[in-house]
Amino acid sequence: MGREQWKKIWVGSAGNMVEWFDWFVYATFAVYFADSFFPEGNETANLMNTMGIFAVGFFMRPVGGWLLGRIGDRRGRKAALTLTVTLMSASAILIAVAPTYAVAGYGGVAVLMVARLLQGLSVGGEYAASATYLTEASAPHRRGFASSFQYVSMTAGQLVGLGLQIVLQRTMSDAALHSWGWRLPFVVGALGAAVVFYLRRSMLETEVYAESGAAVQEDRGTLKALWKHRREALLVMALTMGGTVAYYTYTTYLTKFLSKSAGMEKSTASLVSFCALFVFMCLQPLAGMLSDRIGRRPLLITFAVGSTFLTVPIMTMLKHAGTFWPAFGLALLALVVVTGYTSINACVKAELFPTGIRALGVALPYALANALFGGTAEYVALWFKDAGIESGFYWYVAGCAAVSLVVYLTMRETRDIDLDRVGTAEGKGGRPQSRSSHATSVTPAS
């Protein structure tokens, strides 16, 4: 892969890293600031309230998916990507300065809510814009590899957040972290978003979009156009269901599960998550390259089978892991299974839609599925825990994966689809398309 190709991957994914850093540090630092915005009382209840606000951000993601997906299809991928990082920077600043309950009562909760709504709006469009950009800007036979960097950058953002948490845990007292130290990651996120905004202003539009005629189609990026591809939209929701629940279970929720349920020190739980996620991040390009050789469906099916049958035993053993190494091994096993979904789900979804509706087609149904399943995963887990039947959540995760397994077994292979011909009569027939796409080069954005 040449220097120009790597540059496109970097530009397309660097902002994604900052976006997801800001998104995930809310979840990873929630254990420190949950009591700051609510009256003193039940610690689990306060954490549930805080994670409820986290879930609200997910319900804003469909709005962001619609708005920014529409912008991405009508004004180009660059315009959408620049706007998403602007919104994320603003939300990070709001959380960094949000007043506590002792200072402003529930006014601080209101600030958190507004910030999470902005984050949901931003991330709702970021996923589709970056997935579409990485897929369109790569060579046809490297789409799986290139799009895998979406989860590389997402995980890198989370690793930076976890790494910062580990550093703060070792350099600040627990009292200081609960008092004001939790604000530091949001300051870092705001500054990072400002840097990425500068980088994205000079990024190039994909040639697939520039030459497709999408810019002159009257119904491009509209719900009317998406309705014509409602079958593909429903497919995106169904194939996302199991993957997003499993992903959030073993990433954002894992640290809290190890500390609250398994009884580990917060610092040890954070270290387990950090190490497992680092290996997980490195696996994404390898799995993406594998999908370019054998297809997308084998990896998706492997994920769904593994998640359906291994979730309950993995979570049960994690609860009794006790020390670092058993917990790390089990967490890594779970994330290896999840890699079958995360490494290629971006390109699979982008490969389902024609260029004029691709950003919206990926964004809206994916955001809806995340609002229903991904955003509520932690809240559902805490609900089961508070009800005294924590193991019920394990079966919930396995059940969601089983539903997605049915979808993976019946869907068509998308590896050989020509992005320029998706949606044509020939393309709908399911026959492999020519792989002579123009996605390997880009032209300056207008």
Side-chain angles (χ1 to χ4, degrees):
M1 183 175 289
R3 179 180 176 182
E4 190 66 27
Q5 198 72 32
W6 281 112
K7 181 180 179 181
K8 287 181 282 186
I9 291 176
W10 161 248
V11 172
S13 58
N16 200 39
M17 180 182 72
V18 175
E19 291 263 2
W20 288 93
F21 168 86
D22 287 338
W23 180 261
F24 281 123
V25 290
Y26 182 99
T28 56
F29 278 85
V31 293
Y32 291 106
F33 66 75
D35 293 334
S36 298
F37 294 96
F38 297 95
E40 293 184 6
N42 186 295
E43 185 178 351
T44 300
N46 284 348
L47 185 57
M48 285 182 67
N49 289 331
T50 307
M51 296 318 299
I53 298 175
F54 180 76
V56 167
F58 277 85
F59 284 97
M60 195 64 178
R61 287 175 67 164
V63 179
W66 166 74
L67 176 63
L68 294 165
R70 178 183 174 89
I71 291 174
D73 285 327
R74 296 182 73 87
R75 299 180 63 87
R77 317 312 187 199
K78 174 185 174 180
L81 286 169
T82 303
L83 181 56
T84 59
V85 78
T86 303
L87 294 172
M88 187 60 78
S89 179
S91 66
I93 292 173
L94 282 177
I95 297 177
V97 301
T100 63
Y101 181 84
V103 173
Y106 285 106
V109 174
V111 174
L112 277 186
M113 184 74 73
V114 171
R116 287 301 295 175
L117 291 176
L118 286 176
Q119 284 189 335
L121 192 71
S122 174
V123 175
E126 170 67 26
Y127 174 88
S130 59
T132 301
Y133 184 86
L134 288 170
T135 302
E136 289 183 347
S138 61
H141 63 288
R142 302 299 292 272
R143 291 200 300 253
F145 172 74
S147 66
S148 71
F149 280 86
Q150 182 171 53
Y151 268 82
V152 170
S153 58
M154 284 174 61
T155 307
Q158 188 174 1
L159 283 173
V160 173
L162 277 171
L164 181 57
Q165 185 180 51
I166 292 171
V167 170
L168 293 178
Q169 286 170 338
R170 282 161 170 72
T171 56
M172 298 179 66
S173 67
D174 194 63
L177 274 172
H178 280 85
S179 176
W180 60 271
W182 60 265
R183 298 181 186 273
L184 295 177
F186 299 101
V187 175
V188 172
L191 294 175
V195 173
V196 172
F197 175 80
Y198 173 78
L199 292 175
R200 284 189 167 178
R201 288 185 63 188
S202 61
M203 70 187 299
L204 304 175
E205 189 61 81
T206 66
E207 187 174 323
V208 170
Y209 178 84
E211 295 187 351
S212 67
V216 296
Q217 297 170 9
E218 291 186 1
D219 65 345
R220 66 193 184 280
T222 64
L223 294 176
K224 178 181 178 181
L226 181 60
W227 181 251
K228 298 175 183 177
H229 300 276
R230 54 190 178 276
R231 180 179 178 182
E232 288 79 7
L234 290 173
L235 180 60
V236 168
M237 292 186 66
L239 66 86
T240 299
M241 178 181 176
T244 191
V245 171
Y247 178 74
Y248 280 99
T249 297
Y250 296 121
T251 55
T252 59
Y253 181 61
L254 180 64
T255 304
K256 287 182 282 295
F257 178 78
L258 291 176
S259 62
K260 299 294 183 181
S261 298
M264 284 188 178
E265 293 291 333
K266 291 177 182 177
S267 57
T268 304
S270 297
L271 186 60
V272 169
S273 293
F274 183 90
C275 294
L277 282 170
F278 180 80
V279 179
F280 170 75
M281 178 182 68
C282 296
L283 290 175
Q284 302 309 297
L286 300 177
M289 285 191 292
L290 181 61
S291 78
D292 286 327
R293 288 182 172 272
I294 68 174
R296 322 298 189 209
R297 290 180 67 247
L299 271 69
L300 291 172
I301 292 171
T302 299
F303 150 71
V305 171
S307 191
T308 299
F309 294 103
L310 294 179
T311 294
V312 175
I314 287 176
M315 294 294 290
T316 302
M317 288 187 287
L318 270 173
K319 187 173 182 178
H320 301 92
T323 58
F324 172 84
W325 286 109
F328 169 72
L330 290 167
L332 182 58
L333 173 60
L335 288 171
V336 168
V337 172
V338 175
T339 295
Y341 166 80
T342 55
S343 60
I344 58 171
N345 81 94
C347 66
V348 169
K349 294 162 189 173
E351 288 166 344
L352 293 173
F353 297 95
T355 304
I357 196 64
R358 184 167 292 130
L360 180 61
V362 174
L364 184 56
Y366 172 79
L368 287 170
N370 263 277
L372 294 172
F373 303 105
T376 59
E378 290 194 59
Y379 193 85
V380 171
L382 291 170
W383 182 89
F384 274 112
K385 178 179 174 61
D386 198 50
I389 49 173
E390 189 169 31
S391 61
F393 177 68
Y394 314 162
W395 290 100
Y396 169 77
V397 177
C400 290
V403 172
S404 288
L405 175 59
V406 175
V407 177
Y408 303 152
L409 290 171
T410 56
M411 68 180 288
R412 63 173 176 166
E413 179 58 63
T414 62
R415 180 190 60 173
D416 295 313
I417 287 178
D418 184 344
L419 294 182
D420 292 322
R421 304 178 70 178
V422 177
T424 63
E426 184 179 355
K428 290 181 178 179
R431 185 163 62 88
Q433 304 299 303
S434 168
R435 301 182 70 166
S436 58
S437 171
H438 296 289
T440 56
S441 60
V442 293
T443 55
S446 56

